[in-house]
Amino acid sequence: MQERSKVPTWHHDAVIYQLHIKAFRDSNRDGFGDFRGLLEKLDYIAELGVTTIWLLPFYPSPLKDDGYDIADYCGVHPNYGTLEDFKEFLAAAHARGLRVITELVINHTSEQHPWFQRARIAPKGSPERDFYVWSDDANRYAGARIIFTDTETSNWSWDPVAQQFYWHRFFSHQPDLNYDNPAVLEAVLDVMRFWLRLGVDGLRLDAIPYLVEREGTNCENLPETHAILRTLRAAMDAEFEDRIFLGEANQWPSDVRPYFGEGDECHMAFHFPVMPRMYMAVAKGDRTPIVDIMAQTPPIPEGCQWAIFLRNHDELTLEMVTDEERDYMYAQYAKDPRMRVNVGIRRRLAPLMDNGRKEIELMHALLMSLPGSPVLYYGDELGMGDNVYLGDRNGVRTPMQWSADRNAGFSSVDSAALYFPVVVDPPYGYQTVNVEAEERTPSSLLHFVRAIVKLRRRYRAFARGTFEPLAPENRHVLAFLRRYDDEVILCVNNVAHHAQYVELDLSEFDGWRPIELWSGNGFPKIGALPYLLTLNTRDFLWFKLEPPGGARRLDAASPVGS
Ligand code: GLC
């Protein structure tokens, strides 16, 4: 059980596990996962070594956007259980030292939300009508792009009841709230307070760039939107201790930077642009995409932290790349048009890596060593596959694969009653890719992921350190230092498919000794000359650099993973 400190610091050292209640474990045989099922599996999550669970939306909803279309902000969807179940889950997570982040979806609601139903019938110009953004003219705010390009042709839809158009940045069944109406902000503050009072540790702020609209702009990242965030943050800080905001702003680094404000908006924000560039680097066998985007990443205020990820519940978004890079990504990773959705790719990590173990491990090594708190997506720790036939982004939201039993041990209901079918085809089928099988196999991906999470957490430099890229001539190798207090970590990654040697300029550390982190083995001392390393296919090496006279072996150098 954690103590609450006034100012949160836990997010700096977090390793986050993202999951959907629906997909995790069905305890009552209705085909949907639920909180009681999640409770059964909490020890599994704790054993992964993660510190934090991020839950996708579990609120009452018509589920046309997998719960991001909320019909009641302060309840639990009956498919997933009750508010009492949620409380029990939260207490059990806290008892295991796990923090919990939930979703605060404040850009839009479902059309089923009572606020919208009330707005449609309220008189034009009334505060009730003005909970949403209405217009008689569907040409307003023409500068705003369409985000769900596969389904929507306009950000306006006609409402026959209200006899006006309403504004929506996402699906037409998700009307945007109107932050020019002060009553909306008051209502949203109350929703925030509701979940924080229950004890939730953090809130992911969904789709925050789009809160406010202004004519003549692209309606993204507006100063008025930042003002709203500062109000939410001030209320959170005034009334609660030790809680954080995690911002979802799918933008370039320079546009995300303002979401940290002067340390008075979000504590964390996803680093969207680095994500596709990890894939690009591995496809090209060249470090440049990662090094370039890190160079464009501005420093962030004290108390703030990036969140980085390989995959999540959405498409692998290609919004934050150039047109040329997007074509390259599609050609490399989504040859079949069914693998594409909106501006992105709907596949899981293992299939993206053609199930190559070395590649999957290298991607995890990047995730665990680049700056920011890593976010793991449920099932990727097993190498789960996807189902591109399910439509929208559902192919990456199939049931968790627990065992070779019926329905992958996810549920004992008839298979036909599952919310989605489990993945059955080789090589990703649940018969072989499942928790039970991987727990029994010391060389499995699951054991590797547990070990790398554990190793990362041993060294604070991974979580809090500087990022100092080295510039060896061999561009197939990405090498960087992470430095925190007197801890210096060296990470060397061969992002290419063939064996490489690399000469690193480590002259600053003349006389120091690299200690390899997995084994605790000392490597030859660094001298004034370039330091030579060889790396096999997609290898990565992590070292702690020990000053002369430092400990010969690491304190806790028992091989990780054994
Ligand atoms: C966020 C969610 C996505 C959802 C969208 C609209 O981007 O990550 O899943 O569809 O918001 O609610």
Side-chain angles (χ1 to χ4, degrees):
M1 190 70 179
Q2 289 101 348
E3 296 291 306
R4 293 236 180 257
S5 69
K6 185 125 189 66
V7 177
T9 56
W10 57 269
H11 56 295
H12 289 282
D13 306 299
V15 178
I16 302 172
Y17 187 71
Q18 174 193 1
L19 69 91
H20 202 324
I21 303 288
K22 173 181 84 173
F24 216 56
R25 162 82 186 140
D26 171 16
S27 73
N28 65 347
R29 304 186 79 234
D30 66 355
F32 284 82
D34 43 54
F35 276 108
R36 305 216 70 79
L38 176 57
L39 262 171
E40 287 172 28
K41 298 297 185 185
L42 265 184
D43 288 334
Y44 168 79
I45 298 175
E47 263 175 62
L48 268 178
V50 301
T51 65
T52 305
I53 300 175
W54 157 23
L55 296 179
L56 289 169
F58 51 80
Y59 317 103
S61 158
L63 301 180
K64 290 191 199 164
D65 182 20
D66 212 5
Y68 280 98
D69 47 330
I70 296 175
D72 171 4
Y73 277 114
C74 298
V76 171
H77 194 293
N79 284 351
Y80 308 143
T82 63
L83 200 56
E84 286 312 306
D85 293 340
F86 172 80
K87 289 181 191 164
E88 208 176 309
F89 151 75
L90 190 62
H94 284 166
R96 286 166 178 77
L98 293 166
R99 306 266 179 176
V100 174
I101 295 177
T102 58
E103 293 269 350
L104 192 61
V105 184
I106 58 173
N107 178 67
H108 47 266
T109 69
S110 161
E111 64 189 349
Q112 302 291 316
H113 197 289
W115 294 343
F116 189 71
Q117 293 305 323
R118 184 180 70 181
R120 311 169 79 180
I121 50 172
K124 260 194 198 181
S126 64
E128 289 78 18
R129 170 73 72 107
D130 285 347
F131 252 60
Y132 295 83
V133 182
W134 300 94
S135 174
D136 296 322
D137 168 11
N139 295 313
R140 282 173 73 201
Y141 309 138
R145 71 191 164 113
I146 290 168
I147 296 170
F148 284 166
T149 49
D150 283 9
T151 31
E152 303 298 333
T153 52
S154 168
N155 287 322
W156 291 106
S157 286
W158 177 252
D159 183 50
V161 178
Q163 290 290 307
Q164 275 194 305
F165 295 98
Y166 62 90
W167 179 250
H168 56 85
R169 289 307 300 272
F170 294 94
F171 289 120
S172 57
H173 54 74
Q174 285 166 321
D176 277 30
L177 288 164
N178 174 19
Y179 282 89
D180 287 332
N181 178 352
V184 168
L185 185 54
E186 284 308 316
V188 163
L189 278 164
D190 283 343
V191 173
M192 178 186 92
R193 291 184 181 111
F194 177 84
W195 291 102
L196 293 178
R197 266 181 211 134
L198 284 180
V200 159
D201 302 283
L203 295 166
R204 172 184 179 271
L205 300 178
D206 181 65
I208 36 166
Y210 321 111
L211 298 186
V212 177
E213 303 72 36
R214 288 292 176 263
E215 204 58 75
T217 72
N218 65 359
C219 299
E220 301 188 8
N221 313 321
L222 298 182
E224 294 86 343
T225 292
H226 288 287
I228 307 271
L229 289 174
R230 283 194 297 274
T231 308
L232 293 172
R233 171 67 185 269
M236 181 159 110
D237 285 355
E239 297 168 43
F240 301 91
E241 290 183 346
D242 215 17
R243 318 301 172 91
I244 63 123
F245 283 145
L246 165 56
E248 189 217 16
N250 184 357
Q251 303 283 332
W252 292 98
S254 56
D255 289 325
V256 178
R257 169 63 189 80
Y259 287 96
F260 294 111
E262 299 311 316
D264 56 358
E265 294 190 28
C266 295
H267 303 77
M268 301 184 82
F270 290 102
H271 197 313
F272 274 92
V274 75
M275 182 274 296
R277 286 172 178 81
M278 294 190 240
Y279 290 91
M280 225 180 292
V282 168
K284 289 187 169 164
D286 185 330
R287 68 171 183 252
T288 313
I290 297 178
V291 173
D292 281 358
I293 202 71
M294 293 312 295
Q296 287 175 45
T297 301
I300 56 177
E302 219 187 301
C304 294
Q305 171 75 318
W306 292 105
I308 59 170
F309 61 103
L310 298 172
R311 290 295 299 111
N312 62 20
H313 63 297
D314 287 327
E315 67 274 30
L316 190 171
T317 167
L318 298 176
E319 283 162 310
M320 294 305 126
V321 298
T322 63
D323 291 349
E324 201 182 318
E325 290 169 335
R326 190 172 309 117
D327 290 345
Y328 180 79
M329 286 291 288
Y330 279 138
Q332 290 296 316
Y333 288 114
K335 291 191 184 70
D336 179 345
R338 261 187 298 250
M339 296 170 175
R340 305 176 190 181
V341 65
N342 301 321
V343 189
I345 301 173
R346 49 174 163 203
R347 301 183 75 194
R348 269 188 181 269
L349 176 66
L352 283 164
M353 294 293 114
D354 286 331
N355 214 16
R357 179 63 185 266
K358 293 288 286 185
E359 284 75 9
I360 296 172
E361 290 191 3
L362 175 64
M363 291 298 275
H364 276 98
L366 294 174
L367 176 71
M368 293 294 154
S369 60
L370 287 171
S373 293
V375 184
L376 296 161
Y377 184 55
Y378 87 93
D380 281 351
E381 74 275 20
L382 306 174
M384 261 174 66
D386 49 44
N387 179 349
V388 293
Y389 297 92
L390 285 179
D392 199 356
R393 291 146 292 169
N394 296 325
V396 301
R397 301 171 179 178
T398 59
M400 178 69 173
Q401 296 173 192
W402 293 106
S403 70
D405 295 343
R406 176 150 57 125
N407 303 324
F410 161 73
S411 169
S412 55
V413 75
D414 286 350
S415 299
L418 295 180
Y419 73 92
F420 288 146
V422 294
V423 172
V424 289
D425 296 318
Y428 306 107
Y430 72 92
Q431 302 86 340
T432 46
V433 176
N434 66 63
V435 172
E436 191 180 293
E438 296 200 25
E439 280 190 332
R440 277 191 205 167
T441 314
S443 62
S444 67
L445 182 62
L446 176 60
H447 280 290
F448 168 81
V449 172
R450 283 178 180 168
I452 199 166
V453 168
K454 200 163 143 195
L455 189 54
R456 175 200 155 94
R457 287 189 55 199
R458 240 184 231 173
Y459 301 97
R460 293 189 109 189
F462 285 120
R464 296 173 179 242
T466 57
F467 175 73
E468 303 171 44
L470 303 177
E473 212 169 289
N474 185 345
R475 289 174 22 160
H476 303 299
V477 175
L478 170 69
F480 51 86
L481 296 168
R482 305 288 319 270
R483 226 188 282 230
Y484 183 72
D485 288 343
D486 54 5
E487 196 173 87
V488 185
I489 302 280
L490 167 68
C491 302
V492 190
N493 304 276
N494 173 13
V495 295
H497 186 62
H498 297 292
Q500 307 290 333
Y501 77 92
V502 66
E503 291 181 328
L504 300 174
D505 178 1
L506 296 174
S507 47
E508 181 192 344
F509 302 102
D510 192 353
W512 292 44
R513 185 183 291 280
I515 313 283
E516 200 272 328
L517 291 191
W518 293 79
S519 60
N521 288 336
F523 268 48
K525 261 195 191 149
I526 300 166
L529 294 176
Y531 196 78
L532 177 77
L533 285 170
T534 54
L535 299 106
N536 211 334
T537 309
R538 316 284 197 195
D539 261 353
F540 69 93
L541 290 167
W542 288 357
F543 300 100
K544 178 173 182 174
L545 303 187
E546 284 282 347
R552 271 186 44 246
R553 279 178 66 93
L554 297 173
D555 307 341
S558 57
V560 180
S562 60

